[in-house]
């Protein structure tokens, strides 16, 4: 990637004198910041911006490291051929009109990719805005050169799968001066260079502390996860195309196939990636993580709120209570220190309402004393300060507060209200002092929550005694499988019946309910007597998954007479084409669903969710990427929202999490080692007397070998 980020010479194919065209903006950006050789290419001109202009890249007399191409899509292939002839290592194609535009464009992109591969040229794009390196003043993009007036170097780098959005990020962020940026990489259609390669580069980049990504697809899910899992730098992801309509929009925008949101969410949690829900939230989380790359306090996230208004303190407390951080309980020494500035009639508590202390002592002393108290308090991990700028006497010595918090190793966040111009100046001061400042309480609390979530991720990696390692062959085995949607594979899929599926599961030590196949009424009666009443009777019809809907599941059978009656009924429903299963009926304290699916982007994925009627009511399901280690399986269980049900509800025994984790590990391993298996569904896995038992299951596999 070095020749893209650190070239010594650049050819601009499509340079122009027309100031309304992108080819002119790219050239002006290069001239203003790039220190190497710049070679405009356009047969219409002999000179542009006092630089010699060449009719073809092949006519440039000097060596060229990379070329930026900005010509209509139909001419790009010829330009790339000329780059190959010139011996150029890499090409950034900022032109559009490729796979995002339809079938013809997709074919053109495929042909171009094939040629570049044969020629040994690396391709960035197409349909992108290239690279913006603010720290080193390298703007290889048609982003408006007006941005130069507001550039703020920083340590957050972005990978953005949207050309115009990357430019919008820059203009918005720079004009508000709330944070600095190191690099923005717009990758467009990802014909060759993708997020994984750039992510690896930015992880090594000394000028980047935090990496944010907006992606509409992830080309290689497992490699992406591996990179993120091993990254010492925080990674924040905003995934586009999560909804059905959003996914359709993504296909039209950059020809991307958006993955299943639940799978991606599970994969990112497993890899230690922090997810964002919108663009501004992603930027806010990134700047917060960059402000505090290390936290020396506890991962609990016990927050002290310093406010000038009781209402804002209450709202802050409500938001904190709804997240994984908590409101700190102040130590006695903190309270004693605060009492020196508080009026006698006012008790000290957290949130710390400082307005009476401000009226009595002035803002500088009141806030200064409060900061010292909470910074020295071992029960406080972070500080949330409320500020107002302009209009009344609440002038704060920000720099002094920041120094005090930094000495204590405790992150300091600020919520700000105030008059427009004064508040803007205050934000700039906060940015220079390294204090994340927000205009909304909720966003500030979200970012504090993300900061301590990152602390827990770091601690988890440090505490791993034996991290699970896989060879490259094992880790990427599933990439050799062509994962097609089921609707394209119906003719070649086979559904194992419940009995055979559970026999297969029992071979890997998944506990299953005791059961028998009965070929006659006599055998059915004998099986029921062995199992003990009540029993369940099921009709097993070839390739059928949903038996209840077909009316072939009979519960609460309590006598041999009922067995006889239901046997006859089932044979009639199935028209004597299936088998009849007699199963022990177990009392379920909790019903779970355990499954495995083959995801197009991530390969085999394990699913755990609440089953029975709770499945539709709670919609509580989580995913993990197989193979799972035992700690990862336990973490997966912990991500379920319905923890109370697992912990023993209304006198029920707590679920054996170790046993459930064992099942998740084995299911993941089975699917990982057998790519022919496309789906496993244990529904339900019941918890009876604390122990998990599979009472129904189906395995879907490809009939034809891969």
């Amino acid at each position: 990637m070095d020749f893209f980020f650190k070239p010594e010479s650049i050819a601009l194919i499509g340079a122009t004198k027309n100031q309304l065209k992108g080819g002119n903006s790219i050239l002006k950006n290069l001239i203003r910041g790039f220190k190497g050789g710049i070679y405009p290419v356009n047969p219409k001109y002999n000179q542009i911006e006092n630089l010699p202009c060449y009719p073809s890249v092949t006519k440039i007399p000097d060596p060229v490291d990379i070329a930026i191409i900005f010509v209509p899509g139909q001419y790009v292939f010829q330009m790339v051929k000329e780059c190959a002839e010139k011996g150029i290592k890499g090409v950034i194609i900022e032109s559009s009109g490729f796979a995002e535009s339809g079938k013809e464009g997709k074919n053109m992109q495929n042909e171009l990719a094939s040629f570049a591969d044969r020629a040994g040229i690396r391709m960035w794009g197409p349909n992108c805005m290239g690279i913006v390196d603010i720290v080193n003043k390298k703007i290889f993009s048609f982003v408006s050169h007006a941005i130069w007036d507001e550039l703020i170097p920083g340590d957050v780098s972005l990978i953005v799968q949207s050309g115009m959005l990357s430019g919008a990020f820059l203009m918005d962020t720079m004009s508000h001066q709330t944070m600095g940026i190191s690099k923005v990489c717009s990758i467009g259609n990802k014909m060759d260079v993708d997020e994984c390669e750039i992510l690896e580069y930015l992880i090594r980049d000394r000028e980047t502390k935090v990496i944010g990504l907006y992606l509409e697809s992830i080309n290689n899910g497992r490699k992406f996860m591996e990179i993120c899992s091993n990254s010492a730098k925080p990674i924040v992801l905003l995934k586009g195309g999560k909804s059905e309509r959003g996914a359709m929009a993504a296909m039209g925008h950059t020809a991307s196939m958006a993955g299943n949101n639940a799978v991606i969410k599970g994969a990112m949690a497993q890899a230690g990636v922090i997810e964002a829900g919108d663009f501004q939230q992603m930027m806010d989380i990134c700047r917060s993580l960059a402000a505090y790359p290390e936290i020396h306090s506890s991962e609990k996230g016990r927050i002290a709120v310093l406010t000038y208004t009781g209402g804002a303190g209450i709202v802050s407390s409500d938001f904190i209570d709804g997240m994984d951080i908590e409101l700190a309980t102040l130590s006695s020494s903190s309270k004693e220190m605060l009492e020196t500035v508080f009026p006698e009639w006012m008790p000290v508590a957290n949130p710390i309402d400082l307005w009476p202390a401000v009226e009595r002592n002035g803002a500088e002393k009141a806030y200064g004393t409060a900061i010292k108290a909470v910074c020295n308090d071992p029960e406080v991990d972070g500080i949330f300060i409320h500020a107002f700028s302009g209009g009344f006497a609440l002038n704060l010595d920000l720099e002094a507060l920041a120094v005090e918090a930094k000495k204590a190793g405790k992150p300091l966040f600020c919520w700000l209200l105030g008059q427009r111009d004064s508040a803007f100046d205050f934000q700039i001061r906060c940015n220079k002092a390294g204090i994340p400042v927000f205009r909304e309480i909720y966003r500030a609390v979200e970012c504090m929550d993300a900061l301590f979530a990152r602390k827990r991720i770091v601690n988890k990696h440090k505490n791993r005694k034996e991290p699970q390692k896989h060879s490259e062959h094992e880790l990427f085995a599933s990439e050799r499988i062509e994962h097609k949607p089921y609707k394209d594979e119906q003719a070649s899929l086979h559904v194992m019946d419940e009995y055979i599926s559970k026999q297969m599961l029992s071979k890997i030590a998944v506990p299953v309910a005791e059961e028998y196949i009965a070929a006659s009424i006599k055998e059915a009666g004998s099986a029921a007597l062995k199992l003990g009443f009540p029993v369940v009777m099921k009709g097993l019809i070839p390739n059928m998954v949903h038996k209840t809907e077909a009316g072939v599941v009979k519960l609460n059978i309590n006598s041999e007479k009922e067995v006889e009656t239901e046997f006859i009924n089932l044979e009639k429903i199935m028209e004597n084409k299936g088998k009849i299963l007699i199963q022990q009926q177990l009392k379920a304290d909790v019903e779970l669903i355990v499954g495995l699916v083959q995801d197009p982007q991530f390969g085999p994925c394990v699913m755990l969710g609440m089953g029975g009627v709770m499945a539709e009511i709670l919609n509580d399901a989580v995913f993990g990427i197989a193979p799972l280690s035992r700690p990862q399986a336990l973490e997966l269980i912990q991500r379920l929202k319905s923890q109370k049900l697992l912990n023993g509800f209304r006198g029920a025994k707590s679920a054996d999490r170790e046993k459930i984790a064992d099942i998740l590990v084995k299911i993941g391993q089975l699917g990982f080692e057998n790519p022919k298996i496309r789906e496993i569904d244990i529904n339900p896995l019941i918890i009876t007397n604390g122990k998990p038992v599979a009472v129904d299951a189906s395995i879907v596999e490809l009939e034809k070998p891969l």
Side-chain angles (χ1 to χ4, degrees):
M1 291 288 100
D2 269 350
F3 56 81
F4 280 120
F5 287 94
K6 300 176 181 178
E8 295 183 1
S9 55
I10 299 176
L12 173 57
I13 302 172
T16 177
K17 291 183 177 181
N18 189 335
Q19 296 187 16
L20 300 177
K21 298 288 187 179
N24 184 264
S25 294
I26 297 171
L27 184 58
K28 286 181 177 176
N29 285 329
L30 289 173
I31 291 170
R32 187 157 181 177
F34 183 59
K35 303 304 181 185
I38 302 170
Y39 303 95
V41 176
N42 191 326
K44 294 181 181 180
Y45 308 104
N46 293 320
Q47 188 183 74
I48 306 177
E49 301 290 340
N50 296 320
L51 290 173
C53 186
Y54 300 90
S56 166
V57 73
T58 59
K59 301 299 182 182
I60 297 172
D62 304 316
V64 176
D65 288 335
I66 66 168
I68 300 173
I69 298 179
F70 197 74
V71 299
Q74 64 266 33
Y75 302 117
V76 169
F77 202 153
Q78 180 58 37
M79 299 301 103
V80 173
K81 286 182 177 179
E82 292 179 9
C83 288
E85 186 179 339
K86 177 66 178 173
I88 294 173
K89 297 177 183 178
V91 174
I92 300 174
I93 303 173
E94 300 188 17
S95 311
S96 57
F98 291 88
E100 81 284 354
S101 64
K103 185 177 180 181
E104 186 176 339
K106 186 175 182 179
N107 291 336
M108 188 163 61
Q109 181 171 310
N110 289 339
E111 290 175 10
L112 183 57
S114 178
F115 171 79
D117 184 55
R118 295 194 304 272
I121 298 180
R122 298 307 310 273
M123 311 290 281
W124 183 303
N127 185 33
C128 71
M129 287 188 71
I131 302 171
V132 176
D133 182 345
I134 293 175
V135 172
N136 298 293
K137 295 182 172 56
K138 296 176 181 176
I139 313 294
F140 304 161
S141 172
F142 59 87
V143 64
S144 170
H145 49 272
I147 194 175
W148 285 92
D149 299 329
E150 297 174 324
L151 291 183
I152 304 175
D155 39 30
V156 172
S157 289
L158 304 174
I159 302 172
V160 185
Q161 195 182 348
S162 173
M164 294 308 295
L165 186 60
S166 60
F169 270 138
L170 280 169
M171 297 301 288
D172 180 81
T173 302
M174 298 296 103
S175 64
H176 288 87
Q177 299 190 42
T178 54
M179 66 178 289
I181 296 289
S182 178
K183 297 171 181 64
V184 179
C185 307
S186 168
I187 55 177
N189 292 11
K190 305 188 293 186
M191 179 172 62
D192 175 18
V193 175
D194 65 10
E195 63 277 356
C196 287
E197 286 184 276
I198 301 173
L199 186 58
E200 287 180 310
Y201 180 88
L202 294 176
I203 288 170
R204 296 191 302 269
D205 180 31
R206 293 181 180 180
E207 297 159 353
T208 298
K209 287 184 182 177
V210 179
I211 303 162
L213 303 98
Y214 167 71
L215 298 176
E216 292 157 7
S217 68
I218 300 173
N219 285 356
N220 188 329
R222 287 182 169 265
K223 185 176 182 181
F224 185 79
M225 279 187 67
E226 182 191 29
I227 294 167
C228 294
S229 296
N230 294 325
S231 172
K233 296 179 181 178
I235 297 170
V236 183
L237 171 69
L238 171 60
K239 175 67 174 62
K242 295 178 181 178
S243 65
E244 184 177 350
R245 291 194 177 188
M248 291 171 65
M251 290 179 68
H253 185 56
T254 55
S256 300
M257 292 298 293
N260 180 287
N261 179 40
V263 170
I264 292 170
K265 189 176 182 67
M268 295 306 101
Q270 191 172 325
V273 174
I274 295 172
E275 278 202 90
D278 64 38
F279 300 115
Q280 200 61 54
Q281 185 192 37
M282 182 185 83
M283 300 296 281
D284 285 339
I285 291 175
C286 283
R287 68 185 173 99
S288 299
L289 294 172
Y292 301 108
E294 292 185 9
I295 306 173
H296 300 292
S297 52
S298 163
E299 68 177 32
K300 293 178 182 178
R302 299 165 296 181
I303 308 299
V305 180
L306 280 57
T307 185
Y308 57 87
T309 163
I314 292 169
V315 171
S316 300
S317 301
D318 290 342
F319 289 149
I320 288 170
D321 188 60
M323 298 189 187
D324 290 329
I325 52 180
E326 59 188 72
L327 201 65
T329 301
L330 300 178
S331 67
S332 57
S333 58
S334 289
K335 290 181 179 180
E336 288 172 6
M337 186 178 292
L338 286 164
E339 284 170 355
T340 64
V341 292
F342 269 49
E344 293 180 2
W345 56 265
M346 187 175 186
V348 176
N350 187 24
I352 305 168
D353 187 349
L354 287 166
W355 186 248
V358 170
E359 288 183 320
R360 186 183 181 197
N361 305 278
E364 186 174 342
K365 183 175 181 180
Y367 271 82
T369 302
I371 281 285
K372 285 181 181 178
V374 297
C375 282
N376 293 324
D377 194 330
E379 301 300 315
V380 173
D381 301 319
I383 305 160
F384 185 26
I385 191 168
H386 296 175
F388 188 95
S389 185
F392 61 86
L394 196 61
N395 298 316
L396 303 179
D397 187 346
L398 284 173
E399 292 73 18
L401 299 179
V403 168
E404 194 75 38
K406 188 173 183 180
K407 275 196 300 184
K410 296 181 181 180
L412 174 64
F413 284 71
C414 179
W415 169 63
L416 173 66
L417 286 182
Q419 295 175 327
R420 185 187 64 180
D421 293 342
S422 180
F424 184 71
D425 291 339
F426 190 97
Q427 286 179 259
I428 294 172
R429 285 178 61 204
C430 280
N431 184 41
K432 289 179 178 178
I435 304 171
V437 60
F438 303 87
R439 301 307 303 272
E440 297 176 356
I441 292 177
Y442 187 76
R443 180 52 56 81
V445 174
E446 276 186 322
C447 290
M448 285 189 284
D449 187 57
L451 184 67
F452 284 95
R454 173 63 189 170
K455 172 75 172 179
R456 289 189 290 274
I457 290 167
V458 171
N459 287 348
K460 181 177 70 177
H461 281 271
K462 285 180 180 177
N463 293 333
R464 266 187 204 156
K465 294 179 181 177
E466 295 181 4
Q468 190 177 24
K469 293 183 179 179
H470 305 283
S471 67
E472 186 176 346
H473 172 77
E474 288 176 315
L475 190 59
F476 301 111
S478 62
E479 290 176 17
R480 298 190 298 274
I481 306 161
E482 186 179 1
H483 298 285
K484 296 179 180 178
Y486 282 172
K487 63 182 180 181
D488 296 333
E489 292 185 337
Q490 288 298 324
S492 61
L493 287 176
H494 168 66
V495 181
M496 295 183 191
D497 70 37
E498 176 184 339
Y499 182 72
I500 295 173
S501 296
K502 283 190 285 188
Q503 281 190 321
M504 188 169 181
L505 293 175
S506 67
K507 288 179 181 178
I508 59 169
V510 172
V512 301
E514 190 177 355
E515 58 193 19
Y516 300 95
I517 293 291
S520 65
I521 292 174
K522 184 177 180 180
E523 287 184 9
S526 177
L529 289 171
K530 285 180 184 178
L531 295 170
F533 292 107
V535 296
V536 181
M537 296 180 66
K538 302 178 183 180
L540 307 183
I541 302 173
N543 276 317
M544 174 180 283
V545 176
H546 303 292
K547 297 184 289 295
T548 301
E549 290 82 348
V552 292
V553 177
K554 307 296 180 181
L555 302 171
N556 300 311
I557 298 171
N558 288 294
S559 68
E560 289 184 76
K561 181 63 177 175
E562 288 182 49
V563 170
E564 181 180 344
T565 301
E566 294 301 347
F567 192 94
I568 294 169
N569 288 339
L570 287 171
E571 282 194 321
K572 185 176 181 181
I573 293 170
M574 296 189 297
E575 298 177 346
N576 297 314
K577 293 179 180 178
K579 297 181 287 188
I580 294 177
L581 181 70
I582 315 298
Q583 184 184 81
Q584 179 185 29
Q585 183 165 322
L586 299 170
K587 178 181 176 293
D589 297 322
V590 178
E591 292 188 16
L592 301 174
I593 301 173
V594 170
L596 179 131
V597 293
Q598 295 284 356
D599 182 77
Q601 294 178 7
F602 293 95
C605 303
V606 177
M607 186 270 285
L608 172 66
M610 300 307 298
V613 294
M614 293 297 179
E616 295 183 11
I617 295 172
L618 298 178
N619 191 27
D620 188 6
V622 290
F623 284 80
I625 310 306
L628 292 173
S629 65
R630 181 172 289 277
Q632 288 171 336
L634 289 168
E635 287 170 18
L636 191 69
I637 299 168
Q638 191 62 36
R639 293 210 307 267
L640 281 174
K641 293 177 285 188
S642 309
Q643 294 297 312
K644 286 185 179 180
L645 292 175
L646 295 178
N647 291 337
F649 188 65
R650 292 189 175 179
K653 193 172 181 180
S654 297
D656 189 331
R657 291 170 181 257
E658 293 290 339
K659 292 288 186 184
I660 298 171
D662 189 49
I663 292 170
L664 296 174
V665 170
K666 288 171 179 174
I667 291 295
Q669 197 67 34
L670 180 64
F672 186 79
E673 293 175 351
N674 296 275
K676 189 177 176 182
I677 294 175
R678 306 305 266 169
E679 184 177 348
I680 298 173
D681 190 31
I682 303 175
N683 184 16
L685 178 80
I686 69 167
I687 306 299
T688 179
N689 198 28
K691 302 300 181 185
V693 180
V695 297
D696 198 351
S698 62
I699 297 176
V700 180
E701 65 174 358
L702 290 170
E703 287 187 321
K704 298 177 182 178
L706 291 170

